[in-house]
């Protein structure tokens, strides 16, 4: 069962478990609080875990406009204020890591844990830009020559074939949000993070590669990196035993 808090007209659903200092647990794109339930089950032994469903995921309705990382972070800041949570621990996986980075760069935080986190703008190849601009040209030509209905069918088929699964499975509004947030680079705010920071990564992560973690380790003043061989973007699911051991050690320290 989830709790709900309304902030500026936005319904934010979250679960609450455990006891002790507050911890905000933030899932990745295309996921919800249930995806990171195994992290919550470890953290609840040390903290009161507030695991959110970001707007547009789980039980929280979509935003009514195209949000970026700033808007999602503002919502978490207002949640922390409304619930009177003082200097929470933050855990962010993937997209949730973006929010964690921005939040911790300008607010008091007890500890920050970034798990296969986004936040470093990806390096794009020439092939990527060729695909993007070819798709945009194809959309214009389809609408010019095929008529509205057939053009939309053609465009959607091309999108499903070439786009990422996250993009293809999203609603039109969430596609706009995804396109916005993936191009936001948070490297400039990372040096402002004062909290002890743990980076946990899968060495085979292709969504947010290990090189991103190394950039974060260099730019965040008090950061340390633990990486797991043979694990991908969901390192906490690929290697749950070692992940839990590392998390326990950091939370207990």
């Amino acid at each position: 069962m989830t709790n709900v808090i309304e902030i500026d007209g936005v319904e934010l659903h979250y679960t609450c478990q455990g006891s002790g200092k507050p911890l905000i647990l933030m899932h990745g794109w295309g996921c919800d609080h249930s995806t990171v339930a195994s992290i919550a089950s470890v953290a609840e032994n040390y903290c009161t875990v507030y695991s959110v469903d970001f707007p547009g995921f789980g039980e929280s309705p979509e935003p009514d406009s195209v949000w970026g990382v700033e808007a999602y972070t503002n919502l978490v800041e207002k949640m922390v204020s409304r619930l009177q949570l003082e200097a929470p621990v933050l855990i962010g996986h993937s997209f949730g890591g973006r929010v964690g980075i921005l939040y911790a760069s300008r607010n008091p935080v007890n500890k920050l844990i970034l798990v296969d986190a986004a936040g470093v703008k990806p390096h794009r190849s020439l092939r990527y830009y060729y695909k993007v601009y070819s798709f945009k040209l194809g959309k214009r030509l389809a609408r010019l020559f095929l008529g509205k209905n057939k053009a939309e069918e053609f465009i959607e088929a091309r999108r499903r074939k070439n786009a990422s699964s996250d993009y293809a499975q999203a609603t039109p509004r969430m596609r706009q949000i995804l396109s916005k947030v993936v191009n936001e680079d948070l490297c400039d705010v990372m040096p402002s993070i004062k909290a002890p920071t743990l980076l946990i990564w899968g060495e085979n992560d292709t969504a947010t590669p290990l090189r991103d973690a190394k950039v974060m380790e260099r730019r965040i003043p008090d950061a340390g990196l633990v990486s797991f061989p043979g694990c991908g973007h969901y390192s906490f699911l690929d290697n749950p035993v070692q992940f839990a051991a590392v998390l326990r050690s950091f939370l207990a320290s």
Side-chain angles (χ1 to χ4, degrees), residues 111-143:
K111 294 176 181 177
L112 174 64
I113 303 166
L114 301 174
V115 183
D116 302 298
V120 177
K121 188 174 181 179
H123 297 281
R124 306 296 194 186
S125 66
L126 289 176
R127 182 181 179 186
Y128 168 83
Y129 288 108
Y130 173 79
K131 287 175 63 177
V132 169
Y133 289 110
S134 295
F135 178 67
K136 290 183 178 180
L137 177 61
K139 286 200 299 184
R140 292 181 181 176
L141 294 176
R143 287 167 177 159

Side-chain angles (χ1 to χ4, degrees), residues 135-167:
F135 178 67
K136 290 183 178 180
L137 177 61
K139 286 200 299 184
R140 292 181 181 176
L141 294 176
R143 287 167 177 159
L144 183 63
F145 293 109
L146 297 180
K148 182 177 179 181
N149 292 336
K150 288 187 177 179
E152 291 306 318
E153 291 176 4
F154 171 80
I155 292 167
E156 185 61 24
R158 286 284 305 275
R159 180 180 285 124
R160 291 189 178 279
K161 180 180 179 181
N162 296 315
S164 68
S165 59
D166 283 341
Y167 188 90

Side-chain angles (χ1 to χ4, degrees), residues 13-246:
H13 290 250
Y14 66 95
T15 60
C16 182
Q17 61 196 84
S19 61
K21 57 183 175 286
L23 183 153
I24 310 296
L25 177 55
M26 299 171 289
H27 62 78
W29 190 271
C31 304
D32 59 28
H33 73 275
S34 66
T35 311
V36 291
S38 62
I39 299 178
S41 67
V42 175
E44 69 174 341
N45 295 297
Y46 304 90
C47 305
T48 301
V49 180
Y50 299 83
S51 188
V52 302
D53 278 353
F54 282 129
F57 304 97
E59 297 185 30
S60 297
E62 290 185 8
D64 59 6
S65 60
V66 180
W67 282 20
V69 179
E70 176 71 30
Y72 279 100
T73 306
N74 283 339
L75 186 68
V76 174
E77 288 171 335
K78 290 176 180 179
M79 173 191 177
V80 168
S81 176
R82 182 79 65 82
L83 298 179
Q84 298 182 330
L85 309 179
E86 185 175 352
V89 177
L90 301 181
I91 302 180
H93 170 245
S94 193
F95 170 71
R98 290 183 181 274
V99 177
I101 289 167
L102 187 55
Y103 185 105
S105 73
R106 62 194 195 194
N107 294 285
V109 170
N110 187 295
K111 294 176 181 177
L112 174 64
I113 303 166
L114 301 174
V115 183
D116 302 298
V120 177
K121 188 174 181 179
H123 297 281
R124 306 296 194 186
S125 66
L126 289 176
R127 182 181 179 186
Y128 168 83
Y129 288 108
Y130 173 79
K131 287 175 63 177
V132 169
Y133 289 110
S134 295
F135 178 67
K136 290 183 178 180
L137 177 61
K139 286 200 299 184
R140 292 181 181 176
L141 294 176
R143 287 167 177 159
L144 183 63
F145 293 109
L146 297 180
K148 182 177 179 181
N149 292 336
K150 288 187 177 179
E152 291 306 318
E153 291 176 4
F154 171 80
I155 292 167
E156 185 61 24
R158 286 284 305 275
R159 180 180 285 124
R160 291 189 178 279
K161 180 180 179 181
N162 296 315
S164 68
S165 59
D166 283 341
Y167 188 90
Q169 294 170 13
T171 65
R173 171 63 50 76
M174 297 309 291
R175 286 174 178 174
Q176 291 178 294
I177 291 175
L178 177 59
S179 296
K180 183 174 183 177
V181 299
V182 297
N183 289 305
E184 295 188 48
D185 193 338
L186 299 175
C187 285
D188 286 347
V189 305
M190 291 177 190
S192 299
I193 296 173
K194 302 298 191 292
T197 301
L198 173 64
L199 309 168
I200 308 180
W201 237 261
E203 293 184 5
N204 295 346
D205 190 341
T206 56
T208 54
L210 187 61
R211 65 173 177 267
D212 290 0
K214 293 178 179 178
V215 170
M216 294 180 189
E217 186 181 25
R218 290 195 300 270
R219 298 189 70 87
I220 298 173
D222 187 10
L225 171 63
V226 176
S227 62
F228 298 138
C231 294
H233 190 55
Y234 293 82
S235 58
F236 60 97
L237 298 178
D238 293 341
N239 192 342
V241 174
Q242 288 191 349
F243 181 93
V246 170

